[in-house]
Amino acid sequence: MRIAVLVSGHGSNLQALLDAKLSGEIVGVLSNRSNAYALERAKQANIDTAVISHQDFPTRESFDARMHQQLLTWHVDLVVLAGFMRILTPDFVKKWEGRMLNIHPSLLPAYKGMHTHQRVLNTGDRLHGCTVHFVTAELDAGQAIAQAILSVSSHDTIETLAQRVHQLEHFIYPQVVQYFCSKQLIWNNHQVYLNNQPLLKPIRFLD
Ligand code: GRF
């Protein structure tokens, strides 16, 4: 299984994937930002990198087409979004349907989009966490595969939640990627299967 990881920033999830014992191989790290620290991590792990800046392309379509080309060059089987901060076009998503994963810092379907920790605190939720899901054209709406859940304490701030959720992310993302690499996790015709059983709700991990 040849894996590409798409990043825009710090890359702590990339690091967790690099450190995990995956049966697949991370063959390339693609960033839309040349200053993403994730690129350093990839270089230190001797992994091929590509910087494709969205600012160099007139449209989302042309940017996505260039990314697609890069993924084909790497002969990628699985695309892993790890803090990749661009909205993808439906055409690109379609090409990687069932072969592209994302991790999102909330218990989806709650809090799609940005500023999830702030929104959780504003609402006064007692539970928070992260979700790994297949990517579909609608933002943060693809089928959830796994969720890790934490209890929000009265002392939590945006910073502590960010840190606690990150820790959970580093725990569940490599596991789900490994399920995919070992073909325990399969997408077939809009249905997700885990160990040959239709996955009707996400696997849950409690902090
Ligand atoms: C994570 O919180 C992830 O859920 C979100 O972007 C953040 C990326 O963090 N999609 P990092 O770059 O992996 O440290």
Side-chain angles (χ1 to χ4, degrees):
M1 209 47 91
R2 295 174 63 84
I3 304 166
V5 184
L6 272 54
V7 296
S8 300
H10 189 59
S12 66
N13 279 286
L14 167 66
Q15 192 65 55
L17 293 165
L18 290 171
D19 294 344
K21 290 196 180 7
L22 300 175
S23 55
E25 185 190 356
I26 300 176
V27 295
V29 171
L30 189 163
S31 175
N32 65 312
R33 297 209 181 110
S34 59
N35 62 352
Y37 183 65
L39 291 168
E40 278 309 309
R41 298 180 189 271
K43 283 174 194 156
Q44 274 169 30
N46 254 327
I47 289 168
D48 205 7
T49 58
V51 175
I52 302 177
S53 171
H54 56 280
Q55 290 168 337
D56 294 342
F57 294 84
T59 59
R60 281 189 193 278
E61 285 72 16
S62 53
F63 170 65
D64 283 4
R66 175 68 192 87
M67 286 204 297
H68 183 62
Q69 201 182 43
Q70 181 61 57
L71 297 174
L72 293 183
T73 305
W74 280 333
H75 298 287
V76 163
D77 302 301
L78 172 67
V79 178
V80 175
L81 306 182
F84 184 67
M85 300 302 285
R86 300 295 301 168
I87 291 175
L88 299 164
T89 56
D91 190 45
F92 179 88
V93 172
K94 185 84 198 152
K95 287 184 180 129
W96 294 97
E97 187 175 69
R99 299 183 295 152
M100 182 155 57
L101 300 173
N102 183 40
I103 190 155
H104 181 77
S106 79
L107 297 174
L108 290 171
Y111 308 113
K112 297 172 182 174
M114 307 279 284
H115 310 300
T116 56
H117 313 306
Q118 176 73 71
R119 288 154 70 199
V120 161
L121 289 174
N122 289 351
T123 312
D125 290 351
R126 309 299 298 270
L127 297 178
H128 185 33
C130 54
T131 306
V132 180
H133 63 95
F134 277 106
V135 177
T136 52
E138 194 186 333
L139 185 70
D140 300 327
Q143 180 165 352
I145 302 157
Q147 294 187 315
I149 303 171
L150 57 75
S151 302
V152 181
S153 94
S154 54
H155 303 297
D156 269 313
T157 61
I158 297 176
E159 289 72 29
T160 62
L161 283 183
Q163 196 250 338
R164 295 179 65 200
V165 169
H166 256 114
Q167 251 177 19
L168 296 178
E169 292 184 344
H170 303 160
F171 175 67
I172 64 166
Y173 215 5
Q175 291 199 39
V176 174
V177 170
Q178 178 54 29
Y179 289 148
F180 192 92
C181 290
S182 60
K183 297 199 163 62
Q184 287 170 276
L185 173 69
I186 291 170
W187 161 290
N188 189 7
N189 201 15
H190 297 268
Q191 173 64 56
V192 176
Y193 296 86
L194 186 71
N195 295 327
N196 297 318
Q197 301 296 321
L199 185 67
L200 304 175
K201 52 183 191 316
I203 320 160
R204 295 227 160 87
F205 298 87
L206 298 178
D207 185 21

